[in-house]
Amino acid sequence: QVQLVESGGGLVQAGGSLRLSCAVSGSTLSLYAIGWYRQPPGKQRELVGAISSDGSTSYADSVKGRFTISRDLTKNTVYLQMNSLKPDDTAVYYCKAVTRGRHYWGQGTQVTVSS
């Protein structure tokens, strides 16, 4: 019903920046929020931040001040702007759509931050 496609991952140096995109399609009239998650190698998936239907955002403490979530409603796309990247930010990044009673996940995009 809802499809998500992440893009924009890659290899960057510590201190650099990267912008991820999450393209949303399908039945989105009941969409409540889009969340960004990441899964570092060998670790559990964790919440990075989210943007609600009214545009409000929230972030994990580990990325506050460095990451920004935004949206372009004309393109049905949510962005994750990542600045001042650290090696600990290395992970597969996923977006998740939340509707009434359902969650939908994208396939993920790899972000690698070198020292």
Side-chain angles (χ1 to χ4, degrees):
Q1 298 181 28
V2 176
Q3 294 81 45
L4 307 170
V5 179
E6 301 98 334
S7 62
L11 174 65
V12 297
Q13 292 183 333
S17 298
L18 201 63
R19 189 181 75 164
L20 306 183
S21 299
C22 175
V24 186
S25 61
S27 182
T28 61
L29 292 179
S30 63
L31 185 64
Y32 174 71
I34 297 291
W36 281 99
Y37 291 74
R38 67 186 182 186
Q39 187 165 15
K43 297 184 178 181
Q44 299 279 350
R45 190 171 300 184
E46 64 182 3
L47 176 67
V48 174
I51 185 166
S52 299
S53 58
D54 65 357
S56 61
T57 56
S58 60
Y59 303 92
D61 288 341
S62 60
V63 306
K64 285 181 180 177
R66 300 188 298 120
F67 290 12
T68 303
I69 299 172
S70 61
R71 66 183 181 181
D72 184 342
L73 294 178
T74 66
K75 299 182 181 295
N76 285 331
T77 300
V78 175
Y79 303 98
L80 178 64
Q81 178 67 47
M82 304 184 293
N83 298 325
S84 301
L85 283 163
K86 307 173 181 179
D88 285 348
D89 295 319
T90 295
V92 178
Y93 284 72
Y94 301 87
C95 57
K96 179 183 75 174
V98 181
T99 64
R100 288 190 297 272
R102 291 184 178 272
H103 297 175
Y104 301 89
W105 291 91
Q107 295 297 308
T109 185
Q110 176 71 50
V111 172
T112 302
V113 184
S114 62
S115 300

